Amino acid sequence: MRQLTEYVIDAVMEQAARWWHTGLQVQISVNVSARDLLDSALPDQLEAGLSRFRLPPEAIQLEVTERILMGDQAYTHETIKALAALGVPLALDDFGTGYSSFIRLQRLAASEVKIDASFVQRLSSSEDDERIVRSIVDLVRSLGLRSVAEGVETEEVALKLTGMGCDMGQGWLFGRPMAPADATVWLRERVGVQEAEYVEI
């Protein structure tokens, strides 16, 4: 697993460098496991890659599922502190599906919370899910973090999220998975149009 993570991060940094050094300054998110996030080799790999490809820390964001909030290691582990010192942003993925407390969320050095698609996709048909999403958006804002809704597939849902004050959306409404060459064309057509867009690999 460590070798796979190392390979993916290197590939992502190489692609990020191609974009950043040609004027496409977009952040790329990389999904990592809790075990990856607590791996002492991770900060060194990121620091070396950022230096080699001449990238700022914000070019890369690490995404980990909400489950990491369940253990105390996330708040005391030296790797988390090293990543924070390096300036690489951390996002919590699939938020709302676990049982983590809001106090734990506040204690973790995250910059972004991604609201799970299972709630987002039922916004138009479920008042309960609408209340849950609105509550998460309000909570995230009160903590000074960025909210991202996953699984946005219709204009109706996008408009509801905008009305709630959700910062960003991710989903097929905005784009399907694509190869780097196609993503480059897609980004060049849209750069400067919507500041909140980013590509996830």
Side-chain angles (χ1 to χ4, degrees), residues 121 149-154 169-178 186:
Q121 291 173 344
E150 298 181 293
V152 182
E153 297 182 359
T154 67
Q170 173 185 317
W172 287 355
L173 176 64
F174 309 112
R176 301 273 175 155
M178 59 188 82
W186 187 89

Side-chain angles (χ1 to χ4, degrees), residues 56-194:
E58 62 270 19
I60 304 295
Q61 176 171 263
L62 301 179
E63 287 190 17
V64 66
T65 60
E66 180 190 5
R67 288 190 204 95
I68 197 168
L69 293 176
M70 302 300 292
D72 290 330
Q73 274 190 310
Y75 315 101
T76 60
H77 203 282
E78 291 302 317
T79 301
I80 299 291
K81 295 177 183 177
L83 290 171
L86 190 58
V88 173
L90 178 65
L92 287 178
D93 200 10
D94 302 333
F95 191 81
T97 57
Y99 299 95
S100 55
S101 73
F102 294 150
I103 293 174
R104 285 179 176 268
L105 171 60
Q106 191 172 22
R107 287 170 53 201
L108 189 68
S111 59
E112 179 178 290
V113 172
K114 302 184 74 173
I115 306 166
D116 190 69
S118 62
F119 301 114
V120 174
Q121 291 173 344
R122 293 194 295 261
L123 272 180
S124 301
S125 59
S126 168
E127 291 184 5
D128 288 341
D129 287 295
E130 184 171 345
R131 280 191 290 268
I132 289 170
V133 172
R134 188 181 300 277
S135 297
I136 294 174
V137 169
D138 290 343
L139 166 73
V140 169
R141 185 190 306 115
S142 72
L143 295 176
L145 308 178
R146 183 172 59 210
S147 58
V148 180
E150 298 181 293
V152 182
E153 297 182 359
T154 67
E155 290 282 358
E156 182 183 1
V157 167
L159 288 172
K160 280 181 176 287
L161 290 164
T162 300
M164 293 177 185
C166 187
D167 296 305
M168 297 171 62
Q170 173 185 317
W172 287 355
L173 176 64
F174 309 112
R176 301 273 175 155
M178 59 188 82
D182 296 328
T184 301
V185 174
W186 187 89
L187 285 166
R188 289 206 179 281
E189 290 173 349
R190 291 162 177 80
V191 69
V193 178
Q194 291 185 347

